[in-house]
Amino acid sequence: MRLLLSLLLLPLLAPAREPLVECDLVGVFPPHASWRAISSGHAGCEGAQWVGDTLHYAAHHDGFAFKWTEATGLVVWRKDSPEATSFRPDGAGGFYVVEQTTRQLTRWNAQGERVEVLADTFEGRKLNRPNDVIVRSDGTLWFTDPDWLFSKRPNDKKELPGQFVFRFDPKTKTLTKVAEGFDKPNGIAFSPDEKHLFISDSGTPNVFRFPVNADGTLGPREVFATFTEKGLDGLALSPQGQLWVCTKDGIRITALDGKALGLLKTPGKPTSIAFGPEGRLAVTTRDACYVTKLQ
């Protein structure tokens, strides 16, 4: 009911004046750039992903998945989403999706219908609560599996002994644990050359970096960046090859050598980042989705 009211009253919920973009890294945004609210009033918002000029994202705790373009505006893609929090193109018009309610890695078609369950157990034990997935150029899927919400959902039983990062090979249907030792593994991204994998750990203030070996295994992890607080969320590589990380303070922009470059303040705590066509940038916060443009 809360989200339905939000959708019906979007013009009223949107700020009367679009908040200006504040970024202390010069040259990233044009002068007087502002945040355009696409929707707001959500219990949770995640999963920004551009496919062409179409933005996909979710109000996951409200059970909604959305699509948005300049031409069509906001469209409800699914109103019964199983808390999906990441949508990645599968190369065939559909999407690889992680679902928190079902605790599965799945594949949806273009209409948002689940057509395949790819992974739901590891070594006979149910996954925790898959959070973010990315697709490597070889077609393999890499996803984080933190143990969020078990304390609030007593009917859900945690079965795995830890919180891992997995690799799934769609060709062989093989699920492999590639990294462990996290508190709450969350965002995941490859470097542009795919020689390194970045993981944000929400339970610590750290972003970790792993070398990626030729056989798809990972080398020893290192701390790539440490921020002032815990609660890190999604991350993404910008077209300029910078790592953008969602933190409680806003989005931290970091060079790939680990040098801190600047802070992008956001209208709320950011949860996901997506770089789109024609310089578009989409950012979800805990309760809203915003779009702006880069320089």
Side-chain angles (χ1 to χ4, degrees):
M1 179 61 69
R2 176 186 178 188
L3 184 61
L4 177 60
L5 180 64
S6 168
L7 290 173
L8 291 174
L9 301 180
L10 281 178
L12 300 179
L13 291 170
R17 177 178 294 179
E18 295 178 350
L20 293 178
V21 173
E22 298 180 54
C23 182
D24 58 16
L25 180 59
V26 177
V28 178
F29 296 92
H32 311 299
S34 63
W35 294 105
R36 178 180 178 183
I38 303 304
S39 67
S40 59
H42 306 307
C45 204
E46 288 261 13
Q49 170 71 57
W50 292 95
V51 180
D53 63 355
T54 301
L55 173 65
H56 299 75
Y57 69 97
H60 55 295
H61 292 318
D62 294 316
F64 281 77
F66 298 113
K67 295 192 295 183
W68 175 87
T69 68
E70 289 280 359
T72 63
L74 187 66
V75 174
V76 176
W77 188 25
R78 277 191 65 165
K79 60 182 179 181
D80 59 348
S81 168
E83 293 182 295
T85 55
S86 187
F87 313 96
R88 307 297 184 188
D90 67 357
F95 295 83
Y96 296 118
V97 180
V98 288
E99 302 177 1
Q100 291 195 19
T101 300
T102 63
R103 299 160 64 179
Q104 296 173 340
L105 172 68
T106 66
R107 190 168 62 84
W108 293 8
N109 62 19
Q111 290 71 46
E113 301 164 332
R114 184 199 299 160
V115 294
E116 186 177 7
V117 175
L118 301 175
D120 58 1
T121 60
F122 177 69
E123 295 181 343
R125 297 176 177 177
K126 195 167 183 60
L127 298 176
N128 289 321
R129 212 171 296 279
N131 184 271
D132 197 4
V133 60
I134 52 172
V135 185
R136 199 169 180 231
S137 61
D138 63 1
T140 55
L141 314 180
W142 300 60
F143 66 95
T144 55
D145 189 37
D147 63 357
W148 295 114
L149 299 176
F150 282 105
S151 62
K152 296 182 179 180
R153 300 181 182 183
N155 292 330
D156 281 358
K157 180 182 178 182
K158 177 177 166 62
E159 299 182 15
L160 290 177
Q163 301 178 72
F164 309 130
V165 174
F166 291 103
R167 182 185 70 244
F168 179 80
D169 188 335
K171 297 177 182 177
T172 63
K173 309 297 183 184
T174 302
L175 183 66
T176 304
K177 179 177 69 175
V178 292
E180 58 187 330
F182 300 96
D183 192 306
K184 291 285 186 297
N186 196 320
I188 184 169
F190 282 106
S191 61
D193 60 8
E194 296 188 337
K195 292 183 178 180
H196 289 92
L197 181 70
F198 297 92
I199 305 288
S200 62
D201 190 339
S202 296
T204 76
N206 298 322
V207 173
F208 296 105
R209 180 172 66 180
F210 298 80
V212 182
N213 300 321
D215 61 357
T217 60
L218 298 179
R221 80 177 185 181
E222 62 178 343
V223 175
F224 172 75
T226 299
F227 300 104
T228 56
E229 292 182 300
K230 299 178 183 180
L232 307 183
D233 212 311
L235 43 77
L237 269 294
S238 74
Q240 291 73 33
Q242 304 154 341
L243 187 68
W244 290 36
V245 184
C246 293
T247 76
K248 288 185 176 181
D249 296 326
I251 296 174
R252 294 285 180 182
I253 303 173
T254 307
L256 291 189
D257 62 1
K259 179 183 178 181
L261 299 177
L263 172 66
L264 168 62
K265 293 185 178 180
T266 50
K269 182 184 181 299
T271 57
S272 71
I273 306 161
F275 297 94
E278 300 177 352
R280 289 189 179 95
L281 170 68
V283 172
T284 59
T285 65
R286 282 179 171 172
D287 65 352
C289 179
Y290 296 89
V291 171
T292 188
K293 278 200 172 185
L294 302 172
Q295 182 83 340

